Amino acid sequence: MEYSINKLSKMSGISTRTLRYYDEIALLKPVRVASSGYRIYGRKEIDTLQQILFYKELGFSLDKIKKFLTAPDFDMETAFNHHLVELLNQRERLDGLIDNVKKSLAAIKGEITMSDKEKFAAFAQRLVDENERKYGAEIRAKYGDGTVDASNERVRGITKEQYERAKRLNTKFEETLKSAFATGDPAGELAQKACELHKQWLCIFYPNYSKEYHLGLGELYISDERFKTNYEKLAAGCTEFFREAINVFCKE
Amino acid sequence: MEYSINKLSKMSGISTRTLRYYDEIALLKPVRVASSGYRIYGRKEIDTLQQILFYKELGFSLDKIKKFLTAPDFDMETAFNHHLVELLNQRERLDGLIDNVKKSLAAIKGEITMSDKEKFAAFAQRLVDENERKYGAEIRAKYGDGTVDASNERVRGITKEQYERAKRLNTKFEETLKSAFATGDPAGELAQKACELHKQWLCIFYPNYSKEYHLGLGELYISDERFKTNYEKLAAGCTEFFREAINVFCKE
DNA sequence: ATAAACTATTCCGTAACGTCAAAGTCAAGA
DNA sequence: TCTTGACTTTGACGTTACGGAATAGTTTAT
């Protein structure tokens, strides 16, 4: 059974434009092309399209979906784990936004008159990051935006002592990680100690620490350039190494 | 006090590229431009930038932020309310994705067998998405958001009775299909009755039933392994037979 | 034969910038 | 004064996953 692009489109609910796009990026090629240039799809292509739609529903990018389909021995479990971590991060960020918007709304409805826009803006700014202005820039410069943005709510209440402690922990952590990297064994004692230090550091900003989140952070370090360059400064390949270490650490 | 683009960039943590972009879209213009073409910012621009960053932290688009800043009597409360609703919707969607990814992960790991019930739920979810994708915007444009949400709710939160009815229908359908397959005639009375039962089953989840969709479903059953194995359990070759039957059924 | 329906290939646009590239500007040391 | 280096400018392309439009060729039906 053969299908024109329009037939396939109507069957699947996917626009012809999209199907052409999938052809263009080699995600879904027609089984053959007629002499007229018309695309012709077969049964196998319908099957593939269904799979594509399935992965799409889970929020995977087309690029990853392509890898799923082309590499037959793709490590699905790892890929899904990565994806889950990413989604969890996204949700946490959303939670933060929602929280702040709710607060701002309350402020608007409350004592602020809408006419006095400037007053409100000033107030709202104070509302969001009183502490952020004090330490935020400093922290941001050191650890990258992600730390501040993702944990705005928690960072806000951080004390100077805590900040000093974080700084000390971080120094110690970097030293330990560097030594650990020299051993080349991410499961070794040194590497695991680095993980422990990192966990302590992390707990300052994220009181609700979980292994799941720690694991996710390992992924974040690799995928986020800002973190990666930070760690790569210690040693080339250090980020990957640290991720391995975290993987071991969190599985114990 | 006057600031070069670099100074402002370093003070605010915003890249020069971004500042130029904000100039380009008229979100933040420099106070003046030197004869050399260099941008020069003043104190007022710093304040404006702070405001921009505040709104950005709440997840507003630059376009909306511009309206906040330029329209002096903007209805903040309404805008914030809309924004909040949008964020909540996004989170709900994320929750759904996370749920599905978790389930898929469990399935991959083999922790649970994709039971019939879950298959069922997955399928229902897919129908919702498809329904939303196809008609959502249209309906929403006509009747407002409420309608779609209610409609989706109906599908997602199918009642126990509906579920029971679906189950009964499905059993009956399978029996009929099995008998029909024995006759070998996809255009015969029994096969057509099976199609009718299938249609009724389908209509529980898909109120906007159309022959076209039913037809497409026939293809889906053959191409999707999860469905295919389900039907092949009844009899070998049964899936193909059923598709033929649907073809006849929908052409009447 | 001609109109209707279908299909193809560009190309532009989306949001919010990052990342070069080529070229002009400014302050300071030799 | 010349040159070097730091700084700045304006393009222009890349990113995601397509939507939409323009233009031109193909197939099908009457």
Side-chain angles (χ1 to χ4, degrees):
Chain A
M1 201 67 97
E2 298 195 326
Y3 307 93
S4 70
I5 197 170
N6 207 5
K7 288 231 180 85
L8 181 57
S9 164
K10 281 187 175 147
M11 275 174 45
S12 61
I14 300 302
S15 76
T16 61
R17 176 69 181 86
T18 299
L19 290 174
R20 287 194 194 94
Y21 178 64
Y22 287 174
D23 181 6
E24 187 186 330
I25 64 172
L27 179 62
L28 179 66
K29 291 255 173 214
V31 62
R32 65 187 181 84
V33 176
S35 59
S36 61
Y38 285 17
R39 290 170 180 80
I40 294 166
Y41 297 88
R43 182 153 305 154
K44 217 181 102 214
E45 282 67 37
I46 296 181
D47 182 43
T48 308
L49 182 54
Q50 287 302 329
Q51 283 206 57
I52 290 171
L53 295 181
F54 169 68
Y55 291 126
K56 241 184 55 162
E57 255 170 61
L58 297 181
F60 283 99
S61 70
L62 297 186
D63 204 57
K64 283 212 179 96
I65 294 176
K66 191 154 84 173
K67 271 169 196 140
F68 290 171
L69 298 178
T70 53
D73 55 346
F74 203 88
D75 183 356
M76 285 287 178
E77 191 175 335
T78 304
F80 271 63
N81 259 319
H82 287 189
H83 190 52
L84 181 57
V85 165
E86 207 172 304
L87 292 178
L88 289 172
N89 281 334
Q90 280 182 36
R91 185 169 62 180
E92 197 159 335
R93 178 172 173 277
L94 253 186
D95 283 342
L97 291 188
I98 287 169
D99 218 53
N100 282 335
V101 171
K102 274 183 182 167
K103 272 190 191 139
S104 302
L105 248 175
I108 292 174
K109 285 194 223 157
E111 54 264 49
I112 305 295
T113 44
M114 271 188 302
S115 56
D116 201 343
K117 205 179 74 179
E118 254 179 322
K119 219 172 165 185
F120 159 66
F123 171 79
Q125 264 178 52
R126 229 178 303 127
L127 178 99
V128 165
D129 48 11
E130 195 144 8
N131 196 278
E132 211 269 348
R133 206 169 313 163
K134 283 188 202 155
Y135 307 112
E138 206 175 347
I139 296 174
R140 185 156 36 224
K142 241 211 155 146
Y143 306 111
D145 281 358
T147 316
V148 176
D149 290 345
S151 63
N152 195 312
E153 205 49 37
R154 270 145 292 195
V155 174
R156 204 201 307 178
I158 198 173
T159 66
K160 203 156 200 169
E161 296 83 61
Q162 284 177 307
Y163 177 66
E164 290 305 324
R165 179 164 169 254
K167 235 162 94 175
R168 284 197 306 276
L169 268 173
N170 190 55
T171 310
K172 224 171 153 188
F173 160 70
E174 287 190 351
E175 284 170 7
T176 313
L177 180 59
K178 210 166 166 183
S179 311
F181 183 70
T183 72
D185 179 15
E189 201 180 333
L190 264 176
Q192 292 309 299
K193 192 182 171 190
C195 288
E196 176 58 31
L197 285 169
H198 186 259
K199 176 183 172 178
Q200 285 180 31
W201 175 80
L202 192 58
C203 284
I204 295 178
F205 301 99
Y206 288 82
N208 39 349
Y209 171 91
S210 75
K211 280 180 188 292
E212 187 184 47
Y213 194 79
H214 204 173
L215 210 57
L217 223 58
E219 297 306 326
L220 180 63
Y221 284 154
I222 311 188
S223 58
D224 193 311
E225 270 314 307
R226 294 170 304 183
F227 284 109
K228 192 166 182 178
T229 55
N230 208 8
Y231 280 87
E232 288 296 304
K233 272 190 298 193
L234 295 175
C238 193
T239 320
E240 289 282 349
F241 177 80
F242 183 45
R243 189 187 61 138
E244 293 303 320
I246 287 186
N247 270 331
V248 175
F249 183 75
C250 290
K251 288 212 168 145
E252 281 177 356
Chain B
M1 199 67 93
E2 297 195 327
Y3 306 93
S4 71
I5 196 168
N6 208 6
K7 289 235 178 81
L8 181 57
S9 164
K10 282 189 174 143
M11 276 173 47
S12 61
I14 300 303
S15 77
T16 61
R17 175 65 180 91
T18 298
L19 290 174
R20 287 196 194 94
Y21 179 63
Y22 288 175
D23 182 6
E24 187 186 330
I25 64 173
L27 179 62
L28 179 66
K29 290 258 175 210
V31 63
R32 64 188 182 81
V33 176
S35 60
S36 60
Y38 285 18
R39 291 171 179 82
I40 295 167
Y41 298 88
R43 172 139 294 284
K44 215 182 101 211
E45 283 67 37
I46 296 181
D47 288 346
T48 307
L49 183 53
Q50 286 300 329
Q51 285 205 53
I52 291 171
L53 295 181
F54 167 67
Y55 292 126
K56 241 183 58 159
E57 246 173 84
L58 298 181
F60 283 101
S61 70
L62 297 186
D63 205 57
K64 282 209 180 96
I65 295 176
K66 192 154 82 175
K67 272 168 196 142
F68 291 171
L69 298 177
T70 54
D73 56 345
F74 204 88
D75 183 357
M76 285 287 177
E77 190 174 338
T78 304
F80 271 62
N81 262 319
H82 282 181
H83 189 51
L84 182 57
V85 167
E86 204 174 305
L87 291 178
L88 289 173
N89 282 337
Q90 279 181 38
R91 187 170 64 178
E92 202 165 326
R93 179 174 174 274
L94 252 186
D95 282 341
L97 290 189
I98 288 169
D99 218 54
N100 281 336
V101 171
K102 274 185 180 166
K103 268 190 197 139
S104 302
L105 250 174
I108 290 174
K109 287 192 212 154
E111 278 172 9
I112 59 156
T113 44
M114 255 303 224
S115 69
D116 280 6
K117 195 177 155 195
E118 246 156 337
K119 252 196 249 178
F120 193 68
F123 181 49
Q125 183 60 45
R126 180 162 3 185
L127 288 184
V128 171
D129 291 344
E130 202 133 359
N131 187 19
E132 162 73 17
R133 185 170 57 230
K134 271 187 175 167
Y135 307 108
E138 204 177 353
I139 296 175
R140 192 161 29 230
K142 260 192 179 159
Y143 307 109
D145 282 354
T147 317
V148 173
D149 286 347
S151 159
N152 275 351
E153 208 43 54
R154 196 176 16 172
V155 178
R156 197 175 289 134
I158 54 173
T159 65
K160 224 165 207 158
E161 297 84 31
Q162 284 175 309
Y163 181 71
E164 289 307 318
R165 177 164 173 253
K167 236 163 90 175
R168 284 198 306 277
L169 268 173
N170 193 51
T171 310
K172 222 171 157 186
F173 160 68
E174 286 188 357
E175 284 171 10
T176 312
L177 181 58
K178 208 166 165 183
S179 310
F181 183 68
T183 73
D185 178 15
E189 198 182 340
L190 264 176
Q192 292 310 298
K193 193 185 171 189
C195 288
E196 177 59 34
L197 286 168
H198 186 259
K199 176 182 172 179
Q200 284 180 30
W201 176 79
L202 190 58
C203 284
I204 295 177
F205 310 100
Y206 199 63
N208 325 47
Y209 172 89
S210 75
K211 283 180 187 290
E212 185 179 75
Y213 192 79
H214 205 171
L215 210 56
L217 223 58
E219 296 305 327
L220 177 65
Y221 284 148
I222 316 184
S223 58
D224 195 317
E225 269 313 308
R226 294 170 304 180
F227 289 111
K228 191 166 183 178
T229 55
N230 207 10
Y231 280 88
E232 288 299 300
K233 273 191 301 192
L234 295 175
C238 189
T239 320
E240 288 279 352
F241 176 82
F242 181 46
R243 190 188 59 138
E244 292 304 320
I246 286 185
N247 270 330
V248 176
F249 182 78
C250 291
K251 287 207 171 149
E252 277 174 2

